[in-house]
Amino acid sequence: EPEVTQTPSHQVTQMGQEVILRCVPISNHLYFYWYRQILGQKVEFLVSFYNNEISEKSEIFDDQFSVERPDGSNFTLKIRSTKLEDSAMYFCASRDNPDREYHGYTFGSGTRLTVV
Amino acid sequence: QKEVEQDPGPLSVPEGAIVSLNCTYSNSAFQYFMWYRQYSRKGPELLMYTYSSGNKEDGRFTAQVDKSSKYISLFIRDSQPSDSATYLCAMSANNYGQNFVFGPGTRLSVLP
């Protein structure tokens, strides 16, 4: 079964450093997303990406965040100047064409980011 | 009022029990309703999705939506220890919805 792959599974970084979280969405999917989940809290939307541009972002997704699809397969989330409160699980998700029957997102297994 | 509410649990049941998980919501525009299962330190996995009101059954799982009451449920029959996980409800207003709103999740333990 097709999977969304995320790397690394765990990243530890020092406060103020930049991190790049990587995702390989399912190959025929068109919509890409980043979500985060702070330990013990709910899954929160960060950003959606379609046709090589951001289509929607939440208020969490401020200027320290950026996303990129540098080639035909990878989808990255960059966090500049990380803060302690950025520590969370970050999930990438992708979806097929919504003109087809709705079937929700496929999530990756996540990257656990720890900022120290 | 939070947009989506869900009892966080933990909910502990014996193996074989029928489990009922529920969410309430406040946004009447929601039309697509999903249930995800999340194992510890893993990404959410889609279990069920339902459009508008009604029931949907898939094996041991049944999803119900009551839009008039803004209430959705997931029933698990013949629960197994492997069903032990956190169950997240999620919902969106339309099929082109750019993001879902997730509930905080209910942690379920099925005891052998």
Side-chain angles (χ1 to χ4, degrees), chain A residues 88-100:
Chain A
M89 284 289 285
Y90 288 81
F91 293 108
C92 174
S94 67
R95 279 185 61 188
D96 201 344
N97 185 341
D99 285 334
R100 300 178 58 177

Side-chain angles (χ1 to χ4, degrees), chain B residues 1-106:
Chain B
Q1 183 185 10
K2 292 181 182 176
E3 201 165 18
V4 179
E5 301 204 52
Q6 192 174 2
D7 187 335
L11 176 63
S12 293
V13 300
E15 184 174 354
I18 296 174
V19 176
S20 172
L21 304 167
N22 310 295
C23 283
T24 58
Y25 62 95
S26 57
N27 187 344
S28 58
F30 289 145
Q31 295 194 81
Y32 292 86
F33 304 93
M34 279 78 44
W35 284 96
Y36 284 84
R37 177 174 61 196
Q38 186 178 24
Y39 293 113
S40 181
R41 300 194 184 279
K42 295 292 186 183
E45 170 196 8
L46 181 66
L47 281 177
M48 302 281 287
Y49 72 92
T50 312
Y51 170 69
S52 194
S53 286
N55 296 356
K56 187 169 185 177
E57 188 173 321
D58 184 1
R60 297 185 295 113
F61 299 91
T62 299
Q64 287 186 351
V65 174
D66 181 350
K67 288 187 68 183
S68 62
S69 301
K70 297 192 181 71
Y71 186 90
I72 70 171
S73 300
L74 178 71
F75 298 96
I76 307 174
R77 289 183 299 280
D78 187 26
S79 55
Q80 304 294 310
S82 58
D83 295 327
S84 298
T86 296
Y87 289 79
L88 312 173
C89 63
M91 44 201 80
S92 69
N94 56 63
N95 203 25
Y96 285 84
Q98 292 303 305
N99 68 83
F100 299 174
V101 179
F102 280 83
T106 297

Side-chain angles (χ1 to χ4, degrees), chain A residues 56-72:
Chain A
E56 192 169 347
K57 59 184 180 180
S58 73
E59 53 193 33
I60 301 170
F61 193 89
D62 60 23
D63 291 343
Q64 70 165 145
F65 292 93
S66 61
V67 290
E68 195 177 32
R69 190 157 160 81
D71 52 43

Side-chain angles (χ1 to χ4, degrees), chain A residues 76-112:
Chain A
T76 63
L77 174 69
K78 182 190 291 185
I79 310 175
R80 289 182 281 276
S81 189
T82 48
K83 302 186 285 246
L84 294 176
E85 54 264 38
D86 294 327
S87 297
M89 284 289 285
Y90 288 81
F91 293 108
C92 174
S94 67
R95 279 185 61 188
D96 201 344
N97 185 341
D99 285 334
R100 300 178 58 177
E101 185 181 1
Y102 192 91
H103 57 271
Y105 300 154
T106 300
F107 281 85
S109 290
T111 292
R112 183 155 62 102

